[in-house]
């Protein structure tokens, strides 16, 4: 009897409690204005300016993470720090590996010896041609001498050149150069640290060509439109403001 007489107040109280609960959930999931992970974009449209909280990421269109090509000790050209700018083709450092240097030295010695042998075979062939003209050498011996020259040209020399090129390439790949001008945004190892092949060394980004992927709340949609100018503030840029469209 009591529940029947007080049915309306009970329903009203329940409804209010449900609304309060929904409001608490919404406030708890909504990004805080002091949340450092939230980017703030100021959107200007005509005479209207709005400040919108947007979560997302800001990255560079030119961004590269350098990795070690071999095992060795990382030796930076100079002490680097995050935020330092470098020019295109700037020599950043080297993964030192004694075996790579030894392999290159051995390949150079082998190639020089092969070239010397090839020149001797060429001289012998020229001498045999003269002997053949003087009828002091048979056609069979002349053909064998010519075949030896061709073998050096088509096999021995090419193999030696490839071995030398591969050794030089391996050593060159241990050197790290900036493929574009940019800013060091992350140092992933210490100078003198032992690294393995494919270990990450450092990261460079061109902060002059940034792209932002931001997510805004649905209730902020009326405040923005395609083509308008925005000012973005983000800690990734050292609290720098960038202008974007």
């Amino acid at each position: 009897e009591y529940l029947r007489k007080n049915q309306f107040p009970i329903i009203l109280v329940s409804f209010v409690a449900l609304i309060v609960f929904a409001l608490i959930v919404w406030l708890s999931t909504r990004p805080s204005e002091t949340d450092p992970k939230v980017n703030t974009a100021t959107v200007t449209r005509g005479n209207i300016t709005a400040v919108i909280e947007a979560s997302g990421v800001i990255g560079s269109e030119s961004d590269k993470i350098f990795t070690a090509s071999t095992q060795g000790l990382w030796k930076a050209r100079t002490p680097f720090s995050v935020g330092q700018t470098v020019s295109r083709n700037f020599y950043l450092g080297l993964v030192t590996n004694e075996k790579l240097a030894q392999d290159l030295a051995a390949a150079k010695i082998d190639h020089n010896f092969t070239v010397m042998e090839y020149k001797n075979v060429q001289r012998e062939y020229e001498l045999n041609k003269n002997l053949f003209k003087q009828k002091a050498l048979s056609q069979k011996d002349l053909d064998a001498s010519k075949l030896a020259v061709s073998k050096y040209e088509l096999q021995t020399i090419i193999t030696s050149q490839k071995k030398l090129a591969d050794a030089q390439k391996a050593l060159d790949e241990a050197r790290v150069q900036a493929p574009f001008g940019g800013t060091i945004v992350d140092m992933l190892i210490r100078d003198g640290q032992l690294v393995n092949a494919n270990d990450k060394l450092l990261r460079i980004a061109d902060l002059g060509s940034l792209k932002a992927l931001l997510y805004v709340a649905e209730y902020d949609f009326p405040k923005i439109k395609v083509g308008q100018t925005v000012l973005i503030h983000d800690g990734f840029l050292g609290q720098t403001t960038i202008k974007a469209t």
Side-chain angles (χ1 to χ4, degrees):
E1 181 67 22
Y2 174 79
L3 293 177
R4 185 180 61 81
K5 291 180 179 181
N6 296 278
Q7 184 175 8
F8 178 74
I10 292 175
I11 294 175
L12 180 60
V13 170
S14 300
F15 180 72
V16 172
L18 181 61
I19 292 177
V20 171
F21 176 76
L23 181 61
I24 293 174
V25 172
W26 179 79
L27 289 175
S28 64
T29 57
R30 183 173 180 270
S32 170
E33 294 183 357
T34 59
D35 189 345
K37 298 180 181 179
V38 175
N39 303 314
T40 301
T42 302
V43 182
T44 305
R45 182 176 61 194
N47 296 325
I48 301 175
T49 299
V51 177
I52 298 175
E53 290 182 343
S55 61
V57 294
I58 298 177
S60 171
E61 293 183 344
S62 297
D63 189 312
K64 181 175 177 61
I65 296 178
F66 295 90
T67 58
S69 62
T70 184
Q71 185 183 50
L73 295 177
W74 166 249
K75 180 62 178 176
R77 177 184 177 183
T78 57
F80 294 116
S81 59
V82 173
Q84 182 175 340
T85 58
V86 294
S87 59
R88 185 174 182 269
N89 293 327
F90 185 81
Y91 172 45
L92 297 166
L94 170 73
V95 178
T96 59
N97 187 310
E98 290 298 327
K99 186 177 184 304
L100 294 180
Q102 292 171 0
D103 289 345
L104 179 59
K108 287 181 178 179
I109 293 174
D110 289 344
H111 181 68
N112 291 336
F113 181 74
T114 300
V115 171
M116 183 179 65
E117 283 189 325
Y118 172 58
K119 290 180 178 180
N120 290 335
V121 172
Q122 281 183 314
R123 283 194 291 267
E124 183 176 355
Y125 175 58
E126 294 298 326
L127 177 61
N128 288 338
K129 285 198 296 184
N130 292 328
L131 292 175
F132 179 75
K133 290 179 181 180
Q134 299 172 11
K135 300 185 183 300
L137 189 73
S138 66
Q139 181 69 50
K140 180 180 179 180
D141 290 336
L142 179 63
D143 291 342
S145 180
K146 182 178 180 180
L147 181 63
V149 173
S150 299
K151 181 179 179 181
Y152 262 88
E153 292 176 343
L154 299 177
Q155 296 181 15
T156 309
I157 290 292
I158 293 177
T159 300
S160 176
Q161 289 175 336
K162 185 179 184 305
K163 183 178 178 181
L164 178 60
D166 289 345
Q168 185 66 61
K169 180 181 178 182
L171 188 62
D172 290 343
E173 288 180 346
R175 294 168 56 93
V176 177
Q177 288 181 286
F180 52 83
T183 302
I184 298 177
V185 295
D186 204 358
M187 292 294 299
L188 304 171
I189 59 167
R190 301 182 308 275
D191 190 28
Q193 180 177 334
L194 177 65
V195 298
N196 296 312
N198 300 319
D199 280 356
K200 295 179 180 179
L201 305 174
L202 63 141
R203 177 180 165 218
I204 291 181
D206 180 7
L207 300 185
S209 59
L210 295 176
K211 179 184 291 184
L213 178 61
L214 305 176
Y215 299 91
V216 300
E218 186 175 354
Y219 53 77
D220 283 326
F221 285 176
K223 304 176 185 178
I224 58 177
K225 67 177 182 179
V226 176
Q228 67 186 146
T229 301
V230 297
L231 297 177
I232 303 176
H233 309 273
D234 186 86
F236 171 74
L237 305 173
Q239 303 303 329
T240 301
T241 300
I242 61 173
K243 186 176 182 179
T245 301

